[in-house]
Amino acid sequence: MSRAAFDFRLYAITAESCHPGRDLIEVMEAAIRGGADIVQLRDKETPPERLLGKARALRELTRRYGVPFIVNDYPELALEAEADGVHLGQEDMPIAEARRLLGEDKIIGISTHSIEQAREAVRAGADYIGVGPVYPTPTKPGRPAAGLEYVRLAAAEIAIPWVAIGGITLDNANEVLDAGARRLCAVSAIVGSPDPEAVSRELKARITAREAGQAADAARAAEGPIRLRLNGRDTETTARTLGELIERHGLKDRRIVAEVDGEIVTRSEWSRTPLKAGAAVELVHFRGGG
């Protein structure tokens, strides 16, 4: 994997303590089958001289699937195992030193916990950064959560690939994507699951759906707004369906009657009803009672 072509959407990290009794390679292969498109070996318990066997086994697995393989903390181990790169912590060797050791072809990522650290990583030449922990996580004991605000800051400013990490699960992944993340890393949620493949597939599907939605929004913005009459007033909107228009006006969960050009549109048809220039739309909020 060349640095120039490097990108990913779902990042999986090993955590054998999350799946006692299950084989490391089997668990990570299931994650890859589900859609994980980069794998990191992270093992804080085993001495580095005893990690080479695991690293080589993961290197063989990831080569079979064409997935980049990253080693956490140990650039020398990454070289010996022929990994694609290394992931550093804030207390590990500087990026420049790791680059001298690894050469120009290897990928170097680094964990960041604030926008200031993210900026410094970009200046230092990181190929990607971790943004988090978004939520408290047992894999980072004692590390306070950076929160969704850091995700929003990274989305607004950081141009190199970055991945939201830390406590991300199926229950909160959508709010991380809502905050601007386009890449997710889940550790215990994937490898601690009885079905890592299913969890990976669901996370990847949510990322892909969000990308598709953003692409559609960009295309609409490029087309420009359309003019229509809303409740008797001329207005402009970039919404392209009645459902989008209703949601943008904060009426999605309200009891309303919606009409387009004099025809009532049932709630089930809102998302499938296109808006055309010159349309007359009426949104009437009503309350029940006698």
Side-chain angles (χ1 to χ4, degrees):
M1 170 67 64
S2 71
R3 289 174 64 201
F6 173 68
D7 203 357
F8 60 93
R9 293 297 177 269
L10 181 60
Y11 198 129
I13 297 180
T14 67
E16 290 179 87
S17 62
C18 293
H19 55 89
R22 289 191 291 163
D23 180 71
L24 170 66
I25 301 304
E26 288 180 5
V27 169
M28 300 315 293
E29 183 170 15
I32 293 170
R33 287 198 307 266
D37 43 18
I38 181 169
V39 168
Q40 181 191 129
L41 170 60
R42 184 180 188 273
D43 187 331
K44 299 290 189 178
E45 305 301 322
T46 305
E49 61 271 14
R50 291 172 48 201
L51 280 176
L52 184 57
K54 292 180 183 180
R56 283 177 170 164
L58 286 166
R59 171 72 287 183
E60 181 181 349
L61 171 69
T62 52
R63 273 191 176 139
R64 256 194 295 131
Y65 283 91
V67 169
F69 173 49
I70 303 295
V71 169
N72 183 269
D73 286 347
Y74 305 119
E76 296 88 350
L77 178 61
L79 281 174
E80 195 168 0
E82 299 181 0
D84 293 294
V86 69
H87 186 90
L88 303 171
Q90 286 293 314
E91 294 77 32
D92 293 330
M93 71 169 58
I95 290 172
E97 184 178 343
R99 177 63 66 207
R100 285 192 294 271
L101 179 64
L102 293 172
E104 291 300 318
D105 294 333
K106 297 296 185 184
I107 297 160
I108 298 178
I110 186 168
S111 298
T112 66
H113 317 301
S114 67
I115 194 64
E116 292 78 17
Q117 290 179 350
R119 292 166 182 157
E120 178 54 35
V122 172
R123 286 192 293 267
D127 295 301
Y128 76 93
I129 62 173
V131 167
V134 182
Y135 305 101
T137 170
T139 64
K140 297 281 188 180
R143 171 76 65 185
L148 291 170
E149 182 57 28
Y150 180 26
V151 175
R152 295 186 186 99
L153 291 171
E157 182 174 336
I158 303 303
I160 66 171
W162 59 271
V163 58
I165 182 173
I168 294 172
T169 68
L170 290 176
D171 291 334
N172 59 34
N174 285 348
E175 64 184 11
V176 182
L177 294 169
D178 288 343
R182 295 297 169 259
R183 301 170 186 85
L184 298 179
C185 178
V187 186
S188 58
I190 292 178
V191 301
S193 165
D195 193 344
E197 182 174 349
V199 174
S200 289
R201 183 171 291 113
E202 177 61 22
L203 286 170
K204 188 68 169 287
R206 295 188 194 185
I207 298 168
T208 302
R210 192 59 57 96
E211 282 186 334
Q214 281 211 319
D217 287 346
R220 289 168 189 163
E223 292 172 2
I226 58 174
R227 292 188 62 82
L228 49 76
R229 288 186 66 78
L230 177 60
N231 290 358
R233 295 183 177 182
D234 290 332
T235 188
E236 291 187 344
T237 181
T238 57
R240 291 301 186 263
T241 68
L242 178 62
E244 289 178 4
L245 183 70
I246 290 169
E247 186 169 0
R248 292 183 188 187
H249 282 79
L251 298 172
K252 177 182 170 184
D253 298 319
R254 302 285 187 90
R255 299 180 68 195
I256 67 170
V257 173
E259 292 185 2
V260 177
D261 293 331
E263 297 289 331
I264 293 176
V265 182
T266 62
R267 183 177 292 265
S268 63
E269 293 298 314
W270 287 355
S271 65
R272 293 192 288 269
T273 301
L275 293 178
K276 298 178 181 178
V281 180
E282 294 287 331
L283 305 177
V284 182
H285 184 208
F286 70 95
R287 295 176 176 84

